Amino acid sequence: MKTITPHSPVETLYREGRETFIELVPDGGARLDALFHTAPALGELAVGVVYGYLHSRSGLDPRLQEAAIFAAIVAAGMVGPPLSVHFKTSLAEGLAPGELTELLLVASAFTGFPRAVATADQLNQLFASAGLPSPPPPAPRAVVMAFCDSVRRGQPSYPVDAEVRKLLRNSRRLSLHATAADRVVIESYKGKETHPRGMLLVRVVGAMVVEVNVYGPTSA
């Protein structure tokens, strides 16, 4: 792709952004060259801003940033290249397929059903081309919430030891945070304290919990 004035800030951002995009998207370089073949300067600007500047900012973790971008794409009704590109980058940055459909559902209430339905139609094709099950398994956080409920009922969906049961059954409040497409952190609070008395890292595969690890004290 043709470049602009050497050593300009935009050129530096574009080079960094292009490298990031290639890491996230298979054949990313060829995709960028084809997409911006007619308007290379637009590619330099867009890739430099989104994947050079914005992607490198530390205020949001990559998962949250991709979630915001995906929701904005739904709201704008951009079911062409922006959706297909950020479908791939969202998965690469650790969003689960089920989280994408949850984002679509939430966005539909604010952007309107026509745009959400158009996005859903395109997602059918994107899921199929990626070889992903459709509909996808529940989002990891939903899987882990169901697991917590099963432990509290005394019928755990995954075998756990006494320490895990103590953290989940004797807590006043649980705070769940998905940190990847297959991992959820649980913070267990006994009362009104601001620090958790213990934490769990739960790994999921599809709709099943497959691993639970305990971190932090449980005696408080």
Side-chain angles (χ1 to χ4, degrees), residues 103-148:
L103 285 166
L104 173 60
L105 181 63
V106 172
S108 71
F110 296 89
T111 191
F113 291 124
R115 289 182 175 180
V117 170
T119 302
D121 181 57
Q122 182 68 12
L123 282 180
N124 290 334
Q125 302 174 42
L126 292 172
F127 271 67
S129 64
L132 296 172
S134 180
R141 189 175 184 276
V143 173
V144 176
M145 285 188 69
F147 159 72
C148 293

Side-chain angles (χ1 to χ4, degrees), residues 95-180:
L95 282 170
E99 290 177 312
L100 294 180
T101 57
E102 286 292 328
L103 285 166
L104 173 60
L105 181 63
V106 172
S108 71
F110 296 89
T111 191
F113 291 124
R115 289 182 175 180
V117 170
T119 302
D121 181 57
Q122 182 68 12
L123 282 180
N124 290 334
Q125 302 174 42
L126 292 172
F127 271 67
S129 64
L132 296 172
S134 180
R141 189 175 184 276
V143 173
V144 176
M145 285 188 69
F147 159 72
C148 293
D149 289 341
S150 73
V151 174
R152 287 181 155 182
R153 294 194 309 268
Q155 299 176 323
S157 59
Y158 175 82
V160 294
D161 59 24
E163 192 174 12
V164 173
R165 289 196 297 272
K166 181 179 179 181
L167 280 172
L168 296 181
R169 299 182 71 176
N170 298 336
S171 64
R172 182 182 182 90
R173 177 170 62 91
L174 297 175
S175 180
L176 282 70
H177 310 275
T179 60

